[in-house]
């Protein structure tokens, strides 16, 4: 029986019911065995490599992954516009009455080997990016309330006003992040807002930057 190894030396037996399930096609059971062997070796193969190991086409491999997912043996995910596919076998225990699969409290995916328990990597990443966005927007608003109205984008060379239409403000960036999270949550990330500066801070920095022709900032520096 294949054995899955975790970060420690503790061994977790694979669920024999999947490998012996007569409702699954022979190729689906073989695909599951290959996925277990991959996890045992702590290696990762591309979708093309998995198809080659099984001697099937990419399309047939997708059918097998969907068959195993329907049986509850794996998590089969297709990642957003990149169309990248991943198949992760559940880490079944020998005694399923004592140890059952831990599902993510948010999305229901397998979260057996993520920390903190009960939250999958994808949902933890989503929460982190939204929390980062919230903190960054709060910082931006605090600086604006303190009279800092000029912005120097980290990726640009021109001086702007905080409300320049050529810059993405908090609302637009948050909308972009939420769109990315809906399409490809694994790759979504918050783009930090530029630090806002007052006229006095610009004068202290000795900023000689060119000024944006759209918003026409007019600090006396």
């Amino acid at each position: 029986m294949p054995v899955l190894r975790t970060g420690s030396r503790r061994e977790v037996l694979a669920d024999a019911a999947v490998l012996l399930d007569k409702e699954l096609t022979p190729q689906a059971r073989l695909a599951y065995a290959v996925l277990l062997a991959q996890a045992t070796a702590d290696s990762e193969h591309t979708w093309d490599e998995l198809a080659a190991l099984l001697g099937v086409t990419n399309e047939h491999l997708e059918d097998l992954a969907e068959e195993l997912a329907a049986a509850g043996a794996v998590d089969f995910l297709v990642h957003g516009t990149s169309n990248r596919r991943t198949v992760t076998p559940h880490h079944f225990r020998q005694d399923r009455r004592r140890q059952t699969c831990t599902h993510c409290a948010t999305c229901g995916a397998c979260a057996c080997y993520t920390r903190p328990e009960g939250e999958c990597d994808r949902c933890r990443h989503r929460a982190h990016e939204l929390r980062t966005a919230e903190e960054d927007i709060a910082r931006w608003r605090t600086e604006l309330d303190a009279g800092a109205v000029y912005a120097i984008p980290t990726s640009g060379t021109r001086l702007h006003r905080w409300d320049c239409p050529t810059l993405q403000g908090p609302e637009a960036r948050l909308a972009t992040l939420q769109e990315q999270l809906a399409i490809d949550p694994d790759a979504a990330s918050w783009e930090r807002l530029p630090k806002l500066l007052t006229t006095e801070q610009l004068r202290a920095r000795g900023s000689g930057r060119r000024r944006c022709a759209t918003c026409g900032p007019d600090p006396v520096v």
Side-chain angles (χ1 to χ4, degrees), residues 137-196:
I137 291 173
R139 183 268 307 167
W140 165 281
R141 298 198 184 285
T142 298
E143 292 175 348
L144 190 61
D145 291 342
V149 295
Y150 300 106
I152 302 176
T154 55
S155 59
T157 59
R158 293 178 182 268
L159 178 67
H160 300 260
R161 280 186 52 86
W162 70 275
D163 56 353
C164 180
T166 66
L167 300 178
Q168 256 200 336
E171 294 79 8
R173 294 197 188 196
L174 185 57
T176 298
L177 174 63
Q178 291 171 334
E179 182 180 348
Q180 290 175 341
L181 287 171
I183 296 174
D184 193 356
D186 293 329
S189 62
W190 170 253
E191 182 184 357
R192 289 186 62 82
L193 293 159
K195 179 177 175 58
L196 296 179

Short mmCIF file of all heavy atoms in Angstrom, two decimals, residues 137-196:
data_model
loop_
_atom_site.label_atom_id
_atom_site.label_comp_id
_atom_site.label_asym_id
_atom_site.label_seq_id
_atom_site.Cartn_x
_atom_site.Cartn_y
_atom_site.Cartn_z
N ILE A 137 -4.97 51.09 2.65
CA ILE A 137 -5.96 52.14 2.41
C ILE A 137 -6.13 53.02 3.66
O ILE A 137 -6.26 54.24 3.57
CB ILE A 137 -7.31 51.52 2.00
CG1 ILE A 137 -7.18 50.90 0.60
CG2 ILE A 137 -8.42 52.57 2.01
CD1 ILE A 137 -8.40 50.12 0.15
N ALA A 138 -6.10 52.38 4.84
CA ALA A 138 -6.20 53.15 6.08
C ALA A 138 -5.01 54.09 6.23
O ALA A 138 -5.15 55.25 6.65
CB ALA A 138 -6.28 52.20 7.27
N ARG A 139 -3.81 53.61 5.88
CA ARG A 139 -2.61 54.45 5.93
C ARG A 139 -2.75 55.63 4.97
O ARG A 139 -2.46 56.78 5.31
CB ARG A 139 -1.39 53.59 5.57
CG ARG A 139 -0.04 54.31 5.66
CD ARG A 139 0.41 54.93 4.35
NE ARG A 139 0.39 53.98 3.25
CZ ARG A 139 0.50 54.35 1.97
NH1 ARG A 139 0.60 55.64 1.65
NH2 ARG A 139 0.47 53.45 1.01
N TRP A 140 -3.21 55.36 3.75
CA TRP A 140 -3.41 56.40 2.74
C TRP A 140 -4.37 57.48 3.24
O TRP A 140 -4.09 58.68 3.13
CB TRP A 140 -3.94 55.72 1.47
CG TRP A 140 -4.55 56.61 0.42
CD1 TRP A 140 -5.80 57.16 0.43
CD2 TRP A 140 -3.93 57.05 -0.79
NE1 TRP A 140 -6.01 57.89 -0.70
CE2 TRP A 140 -4.89 57.86 -1.48
CE3 TRP A 140 -2.70 56.85 -1.37
CZ2 TRP A 140 -4.64 58.43 -2.70
CZ3 TRP A 140 -2.44 57.42 -2.61
CH2 TRP A 140 -3.39 58.22 -3.25
N ARG A 141 -5.47 57.08 3.83
CA ARG A 141 -6.47 58.04 4.29
C ARG A 141 -5.95 58.87 5.48
O ARG A 141 -6.27 60.05 5.61
CB ARG A 141 -7.77 57.32 4.65
CG ARG A 141 -8.40 56.61 3.46
CD ARG A 141 -9.85 56.28 3.71
NE ARG A 141 -10.43 55.52 2.61
CZ ARG A 141 -10.76 56.02 1.43
NH1 ARG A 141 -10.58 57.31 1.19
NH2 ARG A 141 -11.28 55.25 0.49
N THR A 142 -5.15 58.23 6.33
CA THR A 142 -4.56 58.95 7.45
C THR A 142 -3.63 60.04 6.96
O THR A 142 -3.63 61.18 7.46
CB THR A 142 -3.79 57.98 8.37
OG1 THR A 142 -4.71 57.03 8.91
CG2 THR A 142 -3.10 58.72 9.50
N GLU A 143 -2.80 59.71 5.96
CA GLU A 143 -1.88 60.70 5.38
C GLU A 143 -2.65 61.83 4.70
O GLU A 143 -2.29 63.01 4.80
CB GLU A 143 -0.93 60.02 4.40
CG GLU A 143 0.05 59.07 5.06
CD GLU A 143 0.90 58.30 4.06
OE1 GLU A 143 0.57 58.32 2.85
OE2 GLU A 143 1.87 57.66 4.49
N LEU A 144 -3.74 61.49 4.01
CA LEU A 144 -4.55 62.49 3.33
C LEU A 144 -5.21 63.43 4.35
O LEU A 144 -5.22 64.65 4.17
CB LEU A 144 -5.62 61.80 2.49
CG LEU A 144 -6.42 62.67 1.51
CD1 LEU A 144 -5.49 63.33 0.49
CD2 LEU A 144 -7.48 61.83 0.80
N ASP A 145 -5.72 62.86 5.44
CA ASP A 145 -6.35 63.68 6.49
C ASP A 145 -5.34 64.61 7.16
O ASP A 145 -5.70 65.67 7.69
CB ASP A 145 -6.99 62.77 7.55
CG ASP A 145 -8.21 62.04 7.01
OD1 ASP A 145 -8.75 62.46 5.97
OD2 ASP A 145 -8.59 61.01 7.62
N ALA A 146 -4.05 64.21 7.14
CA ALA A 146 -3.01 65.02 7.76
C ALA A 146 -2.49 66.10 6.82
O ALA A 146 -1.56 66.84 7.17
CB ALA A 146 -1.85 64.13 8.21
N GLY A 147 -3.08 66.22 5.64
CA GLY A 147 -2.69 67.28 4.72
C GLY A 147 -1.69 66.88 3.65
O GLY A 147 -1.19 67.74 2.92
N ALA A 148 -1.36 65.61 3.56
CA ALA A 148 -0.44 65.14 2.52
C ALA A 148 -1.23 64.91 1.24
O ALA A 148 -2.07 64.01 1.18
CB ALA A 148 0.25 63.85 2.97
N VAL A 149 -0.99 65.71 0.23
CA VAL A 149 -1.83 65.66 -0.98
C VAL A 149 -1.03 65.39 -2.25
O VAL A 149 -1.60 65.40 -3.34
CB VAL A 149 -2.62 66.97 -1.15
CG1 VAL A 149 -3.62 67.14 -0.02
CG2 VAL A 149 -1.68 68.17 -1.22
N TYR A 150 0.27 65.15 -2.12
CA TYR A 150 1.08 64.89 -3.30
C TYR A 150 1.62 63.47 -3.27
O TYR A 150 1.98 62.94 -2.22
CB TYR A 150 2.23 65.90 -3.40
CG TYR A 150 1.74 67.31 -3.48
CD1 TYR A 150 1.84 68.17 -2.40
CD2 TYR A 150 1.12 67.77 -4.64
CE1 TYR A 150 1.36 69.47 -2.46
CE2 TYR A 150 0.63 69.07 -4.71
CZ TYR A 150 0.74 69.91 -3.63
OH TYR A 150 0.26 71.19 -3.70
N ALA A 151 1.63 62.84 -4.45
CA ALA A 151 2.01 61.43 -4.54
C ALA A 151 3.14 61.25 -5.53
O ALA A 151 3.16 61.87 -6.60
CB ALA A 151 0.81 60.58 -4.97
N ILE A 152 4.09 60.38 -5.14
CA ILE A 152 5.17 59.98 -6.04
C ILE A 152 5.09 58.46 -6.19
O ILE A 152 5.49 57.73 -5.28
CB ILE A 152 6.55 60.39 -5.51
CG1 ILE A 152 6.62 61.89 -5.28
CG2 ILE A 152 7.64 59.94 -6.48
CD1 ILE A 152 7.93 62.36 -4.66
N PRO A 153 4.54 57.94 -7.29
CA PRO A 153 4.42 56.49 -7.46
C PRO A 153 5.77 55.81 -7.42
O PRO A 153 6.77 56.34 -7.91
CB PRO A 153 3.77 56.36 -8.84
CG PRO A 153 3.10 57.67 -9.09
CD PRO A 153 3.98 58.69 -8.42
N THR A 154 5.82 54.64 -6.81
CA THR A 154 7.09 53.91 -6.71
C THR A 154 7.60 53.49 -8.09
O THR A 154 8.80 53.31 -8.27
CB THR A 154 6.90 52.66 -5.85
OG1 THR A 154 5.83 51.87 -6.39
CG2 THR A 154 6.57 53.04 -4.42
N SER A 155 6.68 53.33 -9.05
CA SER A 155 7.10 52.89 -10.38
C SER A 155 7.19 54.04 -11.38
O SER A 155 7.40 53.81 -12.57
CB SER A 155 6.10 51.85 -10.91
OG SER A 155 4.80 52.40 -10.98
N GLY A 156 7.00 55.28 -10.91
CA GLY A 156 7.02 56.41 -11.82
C GLY A 156 8.05 57.46 -11.45
O GLY A 156 8.77 57.33 -10.45
N THR A 157 8.14 58.51 -12.26
CA THR A 157 9.13 59.56 -12.02
C THR A 157 8.48 60.93 -11.85
O THR A 157 9.16 61.89 -11.50
CB THR A 157 10.11 59.64 -13.20
OG1 THR A 157 9.38 59.90 -14.41
CG2 THR A 157 10.88 58.33 -13.34
N ARG A 158 7.20 61.03 -12.08
CA ARG A 158 6.53 62.33 -12.03
C ARG A 158 5.82 62.54 -10.70
O ARG A 158 5.36 61.60 -10.07
CB ARG A 158 5.53 62.47 -13.18
CG ARG A 158 6.19 62.53 -14.55
CD ARG A 158 5.14 62.63 -15.65
NE ARG A 158 5.76 62.63 -16.96
CZ ARG A 158 6.11 63.73 -17.63
NH1 ARG A 158 5.90 64.92 -17.09
NH2 ARG A 158 6.67 63.66 -18.82
N LEU A 159 5.68 63.80 -10.33
CA LEU A 159 4.95 64.18 -9.14
C LEU A 159 3.48 64.37 -9.50
O LEU A 159 3.15 65.00 -10.50
CB LEU A 159 5.52 65.49 -8.57
CG LEU A 159 4.84 66.06 -7.33
CD1 LEU A 159 5.05 65.14 -6.13
CD2 LEU A 159 5.38 67.47 -7.03
N HIS A 160 2.57 63.82 -8.68
CA HIS A 160 1.14 63.89 -8.93
C HIS A 160 0.41 64.44 -7.71
O HIS A 160 0.93 64.41 -6.60
CB HIS A 160 0.56 62.49 -9.23
CG HIS A 160 1.16 61.81 -10.40
ND1 HIS A 160 0.56 61.78 -11.64
CD2 HIS A 160 2.32 61.10 -10.51
CE1 HIS A 160 1.31 61.09 -12.48
NE2 HIS A 160 2.38 60.66 -11.81
N ARG A 161 -0.81 64.89 -7.93
CA ARG A 161 -1.73 65.12 -6.83
C ARG A 161 -2.33 63.77 -6.44
O ARG A 161 -2.41 62.86 -7.25
CB ARG A 161 -2.84 66.10 -7.23
CG ARG A 161 -2.43 67.57 -7.19
CD ARG A 161 -3.64 68.46 -7.47
NE ARG A 161 -4.77 68.13 -6.60
CZ ARG A 161 -4.93 68.63 -5.37
NH1 ARG A 161 -4.03 69.48 -4.88
NH2 ARG A 161 -5.98 68.29 -4.65
N TRP A 162 -2.83 63.66 -5.22
CA TRP A 162 -3.37 62.41 -4.74
C TRP A 162 -4.57 61.91 -5.56
O TRP A 162 -4.79 60.72 -5.71
CB TRP A 162 -3.82 62.55 -3.27
CG TRP A 162 -5.03 63.42 -3.10
CD1 TRP A 162 -5.06 64.78 -2.99
CD2 TRP A 162 -6.39 62.98 -3.05
NE1 TRP A 162 -6.35 65.23 -2.87
CE2 TRP A 162 -7.20 64.13 -2.90
CE3 TRP A 162 -7.01 61.74 -3.12
CZ2 TRP A 162 -8.58 64.08 -2.82
CZ3 TRP A 162 -8.39 61.68 -3.03
CH2 TRP A 162 -9.17 62.84 -2.89
N ASP A 163 -5.32 62.87 -6.15
CA ASP A 163 -6.52 62.51 -6.89
C ASP A 163 -6.31 62.51 -8.40
O ASP A 163 -7.27 62.58 -9.17
CB ASP A 163 -7.67 63.46 -6.54
CG ASP A 163 -7.30 64.93 -6.77
OD1 ASP A 163 -6.11 65.21 -7.07
OD2 ASP A 163 -8.19 65.79 -6.63
N CYS A 164 -5.06 62.42 -8.84
CA CYS A 164 -4.76 62.44 -10.26
C CYS A 164 -5.47 61.29 -10.98
O CYS A 164 -5.38 60.13 -10.55
CB CYS A 164 -3.25 62.34 -10.49
SG CYS A 164 -2.82 62.36 -12.26
N PRO A 165 -6.19 61.57 -12.08
CA PRO A 165 -6.91 60.51 -12.80
C PRO A 165 -5.98 59.48 -13.46
O PRO A 165 -6.44 58.41 -13.85
CB PRO A 165 -7.73 61.28 -13.85
CG PRO A 165 -7.03 62.59 -14.01
CD PRO A 165 -6.44 62.90 -12.66
N THR A 166 -4.70 59.80 -13.58
CA THR A 166 -3.77 58.84 -14.18
C THR A 166 -3.30 57.79 -13.16
O THR A 166 -2.66 56.82 -13.54
CB THR A 166 -2.53 59.54 -14.76
OG1 THR A 166 -1.77 60.14 -13.70
CG2 THR A 166 -2.94 60.60 -15.76
N LEU A 167 -3.62 58.02 -11.88
CA LEU A 167 -3.26 57.06 -10.84
C LEU A 167 -4.47 56.22 -10.46
O LEU A 167 -5.61 56.70 -10.52
CB LEU A 167 -2.75 57.79 -9.59
CG LEU A 167 -1.52 58.67 -9.74
CD1 LEU A 167 -1.21 59.36 -8.41
CD2 LEU A 167 -0.32 57.86 -10.20
N GLN A 168 -4.23 55.00 -10.05
CA GLN A 168 -5.30 54.17 -9.51
C GLN A 168 -5.45 54.46 -8.03
O GLN A 168 -4.55 54.22 -7.25
CB GLN A 168 -4.97 52.68 -9.70
CG GLN A 168 -5.73 52.02 -10.83
CD GLN A 168 -5.76 50.51 -10.69
OE1 GLN A 168 -4.92 49.89 -10.05
NE2 GLN A 168 -6.75 49.91 -11.29
N GLY A 169 -6.61 55.02 -7.66
CA GLY A 169 -6.86 55.30 -6.25
C GLY A 169 -7.26 54.06 -5.49
O GLY A 169 -7.31 52.95 -6.04
N PRO A 170 -7.57 54.21 -4.20
CA PRO A 170 -7.91 53.06 -3.35
C PRO A 170 -9.07 52.23 -3.88
O PRO A 170 -9.01 50.99 -3.91
CB PRO A 170 -8.25 53.70 -2.01
CG PRO A 170 -7.54 55.01 -2.01
CD PRO A 170 -7.56 55.46 -3.43
N GLU A 171 -10.16 52.91 -4.30
CA GLU A 171 -11.33 52.18 -4.76
C GLU A 171 -11.03 51.37 -6.01
O GLU A 171 -11.43 50.20 -6.13
CB GLU A 171 -12.49 53.15 -5.04
CG GLU A 171 -13.02 53.86 -3.80
CD GLU A 171 -12.14 55.02 -3.35
OE1 GLU A 171 -11.20 55.38 -4.10
OE2 GLU A 171 -12.39 55.56 -2.27
N ALA A 172 -10.30 51.97 -6.96
CA ALA A 172 -9.99 51.27 -8.21
C ALA A 172 -9.05 50.09 -7.95
O ALA A 172 -9.22 49.02 -8.53
CB ALA A 172 -9.35 52.24 -9.21
N ARG A 173 -8.08 50.28 -7.07
CA ARG A 173 -7.14 49.19 -6.79
C ARG A 173 -7.83 48.04 -6.05
O ARG A 173 -7.53 46.87 -6.28
CB ARG A 173 -5.95 49.71 -5.99
CG ARG A 173 -5.10 50.68 -6.78
CD ARG A 173 -3.73 50.88 -6.20
NE ARG A 173 -3.03 51.96 -6.89
CZ ARG A 173 -1.74 52.19 -6.84
NH1 ARG A 173 -0.97 51.41 -6.09
NH2 ARG A 173 -1.19 53.17 -7.51
N LEU A 174 -8.74 48.39 -5.15
CA LEU A 174 -9.48 47.35 -4.43
C LEU A 174 -10.36 46.57 -5.40
O LEU A 174 -10.47 45.34 -5.31
CB LEU A 174 -10.32 47.98 -3.33
CG LEU A 174 -11.06 47.00 -2.41
CD1 LEU A 174 -10.09 46.03 -1.75
CD2 LEU A 174 -11.85 47.76 -1.36
N ALA A 175 -10.98 47.26 -6.34
CA ALA A 175 -11.81 46.59 -7.34
C ALA A 175 -10.96 45.67 -8.21
O ALA A 175 -11.38 44.55 -8.55
CB ALA A 175 -12.53 47.62 -8.21
N THR A 176 -9.75 46.11 -8.56
CA THR A 176 -8.84 45.28 -9.35
C THR A 176 -8.45 44.03 -8.58
O THR A 176 -8.43 42.92 -9.13
CB THR A 176 -7.57 46.08 -9.72
OG1 THR A 176 -7.93 47.19 -10.54
CG2 THR A 176 -6.58 45.20 -10.47
N LEU A 177 -8.14 44.19 -7.29
CA LEU A 177 -7.78 43.04 -6.46
C LEU A 177 -8.93 42.04 -6.38
O LEU A 177 -8.73 40.83 -6.51
CB LEU A 177 -7.39 43.51 -5.06
CG LEU A 177 -7.11 42.40 -4.04
CD1 LEU A 177 -5.91 41.55 -4.47
CD2 LEU A 177 -6.90 42.97 -2.65
N GLN A 178 -10.13 42.53 -6.16
CA GLN A 178 -11.28 41.63 -6.04
C GLN A 178 -11.54 40.90 -7.35
O GLN A 178 -11.92 39.72 -7.34
CB GLN A 178 -12.51 42.43 -5.61
CG GLN A 178 -12.41 42.94 -4.18
CD GLN A 178 -13.51 43.91 -3.80
OE1 GLN A 178 -14.09 44.58 -4.67
NE2 GLN A 178 -13.83 43.99 -2.52
N GLU A 179 -11.29 41.57 -8.46
CA GLU A 179 -11.44 40.92 -9.77
C GLU A 179 -10.38 39.83 -9.93
O GLU A 179 -10.69 38.72 -10.40
CB GLU A 179 -11.32 41.96 -10.88
CG GLU A 179 -11.49 41.39 -12.28
CD GLU A 179 -11.37 42.44 -13.36
OE1 GLU A 179 -11.38 43.64 -13.02
OE2 GLU A 179 -11.26 42.08 -14.54
N GLN A 180 -9.15 40.11 -9.53
CA GLN A 180 -8.08 39.11 -9.62
C GLN A 180 -8.38 37.91 -8.72
O GLN A 180 -8.15 36.77 -9.10
CB GLN A 180 -6.74 39.73 -9.21
CG GLN A 180 -6.19 40.74 -10.20
CD GLN A 180 -4.93 41.41 -9.68
OE1 GLN A 180 -4.64 41.40 -8.47
NE2 GLN A 180 -4.17 42.02 -10.58
N LEU A 181 -8.90 38.17 -7.52
CA LEU A 181 -9.22 37.09 -6.59
C LEU A 181 -10.31 36.18 -7.16
O LEU A 181 -10.33 34.98 -6.90
CB LEU A 181 -9.67 37.66 -5.25
CG LEU A 181 -8.57 38.28 -4.38
CD1 LEU A 181 -9.17 39.01 -3.19
CD2 LEU A 181 -7.59 37.21 -3.91
N ALA A 182 -11.23 36.76 -7.93
CA ALA A 182 -12.30 35.97 -8.53
C ALA A 182 -11.81 35.15 -9.71
O ALA A 182 -12.30 34.04 -9.95
CB ALA A 182 -13.44 36.90 -8.97
N ILE A 183 -10.81 35.67 -10.44
CA ILE A 183 -10.32 34.98 -11.64
C ILE A 183 -9.21 34.00 -11.31
O ILE A 183 -9.26 32.82 -11.71
CB ILE A 183 -9.83 36.02 -12.67
CG1 ILE A 183 -10.99 36.89 -13.15
CG2 ILE A 183 -9.18 35.32 -13.87
CD1 ILE A 183 -10.58 38.03 -14.06
N ASP A 184 -8.19 34.45 -10.61
CA ASP A 184 -7.03 33.61 -10.30
C ASP A 184 -6.52 33.96 -8.91
O ASP A 184 -5.54 34.70 -8.76
CB ASP A 184 -5.93 33.82 -11.35
CG ASP A 184 -4.84 32.75 -11.27
OD1 ASP A 184 -4.90 31.91 -10.35
OD2 ASP A 184 -3.93 32.75 -12.12
N PRO A 185 -7.17 33.46 -7.85
CA PRO A 185 -6.83 33.88 -6.48
C PRO A 185 -5.40 33.58 -6.08
O PRO A 185 -4.82 34.28 -5.26
CB PRO A 185 -7.84 33.10 -5.62
CG PRO A 185 -8.32 31.99 -6.48
CD PRO A 185 -8.28 32.50 -7.87
N ASP A 186 -4.78 32.55 -6.65
CA ASP A 186 -3.41 32.21 -6.27
C ASP A 186 -2.41 33.28 -6.70
O ASP A 186 -1.37 33.46 -6.07
CB ASP A 186 -3.00 30.86 -6.89
CG ASP A 186 -3.79 29.71 -6.30
OD1 ASP A 186 -4.17 29.80 -5.13
OD2 ASP A 186 -4.04 28.72 -7.01
N ALA A 187 -2.71 33.98 -7.80
CA ALA A 187 -1.78 34.97 -8.34
C ALA A 187 -2.16 36.40 -7.95
O ALA A 187 -1.42 37.34 -8.25
CB ALA A 187 -1.71 34.86 -9.87
N ALA A 188 -3.30 36.58 -7.30
CA ALA A 188 -3.77 37.92 -6.97
C ALA A 188 -2.91 38.55 -5.87
O ALA A 188 -2.52 37.87 -4.92
CB ALA A 188 -5.23 37.88 -6.52
N SER A 189 -2.63 39.83 -6.01
CA SER A 189 -1.86 40.53 -4.97
C SER A 189 -2.23 42.01 -4.96
O SER A 189 -2.59 42.57 -6.00
CB SER A 189 -0.35 40.36 -5.20
OG SER A 189 0.03 40.95 -6.44
N TRP A 190 -2.15 42.60 -3.79
CA TRP A 190 -2.48 44.02 -3.63
C TRP A 190 -1.32 44.88 -4.08
O TRP A 190 -0.18 44.68 -3.66
CB TRP A 190 -2.82 44.31 -2.17
CG TRP A 190 -2.95 45.77 -1.84
CD1 TRP A 190 -2.08 46.53 -1.14
CD2 TRP A 190 -4.04 46.64 -2.22
NE1 TRP A 190 -2.54 47.82 -1.03
CE2 TRP A 190 -3.75 47.92 -1.69
CE3 TRP A 190 -5.22 46.46 -2.94
CZ2 TRP A 190 -4.60 49.00 -1.87
CZ3 TRP A 190 -6.06 47.55 -3.12
CH2 TRP A 190 -5.75 48.79 -2.59
N GLU A 191 -1.60 45.87 -4.93
CA GLU A 191 -0.58 46.84 -5.35
C GLU A 191 -0.64 48.03 -4.41
O GLU A 191 -1.64 48.74 -4.35
CB GLU A 191 -0.84 47.29 -6.79
CG GLU A 191 0.20 48.26 -7.30
CD GLU A 191 -0.11 48.77 -8.70
OE1 GLU A 191 -1.12 48.31 -9.28
OE2 GLU A 191 0.63 49.64 -9.20
N ARG A 192 0.43 48.23 -3.66
CA ARG A 192 0.43 49.26 -2.63
C ARG A 192 0.25 50.66 -3.23
O ARG A 192 0.76 50.97 -4.29
CB ARG A 192 1.73 49.22 -1.82
CG ARG A 192 1.83 48.01 -0.91
CD ARG A 192 3.06 48.10 -0.03
NE ARG A 192 3.01 49.27 0.83
CZ ARG A 192 2.35 49.32 2.00
NH1 ARG A 192 1.67 48.27 2.42
NH2 ARG A 192 2.36 50.41 2.73
N LEU A 193 -0.49 51.47 -2.49
CA LEU A 193 -0.70 52.86 -2.86
C LEU A 193 0.58 53.66 -2.58
O LEU A 193 1.31 53.34 -1.64
CB LEU A 193 -1.85 53.44 -2.06
CG LEU A 193 -3.23 52.85 -2.35
CD1 LEU A 193 -4.18 53.11 -1.18
CD2 LEU A 193 -3.79 53.45 -3.63
N PRO A 194 0.84 54.71 -3.37
CA PRO A 194 2.05 55.50 -3.10
C PRO A 194 1.93 56.27 -1.80
O PRO A 194 0.83 56.57 -1.34
CB PRO A 194 2.10 56.46 -4.30
CG PRO A 194 0.69 56.55 -4.77
CD PRO A 194 0.08 55.20 -4.53
N LYS A 195 3.07 56.57 -1.19
CA LYS A 195 3.07 57.38 0.02
C LYS A 195 2.71 58.81 -0.35
O LYS A 195 3.20 59.36 -1.32
CB LYS A 195 4.46 57.34 0.67
CG LYS A 195 4.57 58.18 1.94
CD LYS A 195 5.94 58.04 2.56
CE LYS A 195 6.08 58.98 3.75
NZ LYS A 195 5.05 58.74 4.80
N LEU A 196 1.84 59.41 0.45
CA LEU A 196 1.44 60.80 0.22
C LEU A 196 2.35 61.74 1.00
O LEU A 196 2.75 61.44 2.13
CB LEU A 196 -0.01 61.00 0.64
CG LEU A 196 -1.06 60.22 -0.15
CD1 LEU A 196 -2.45 60.50 0.38
CD2 LEU A 196 -0.98 60.55 -1.64
#
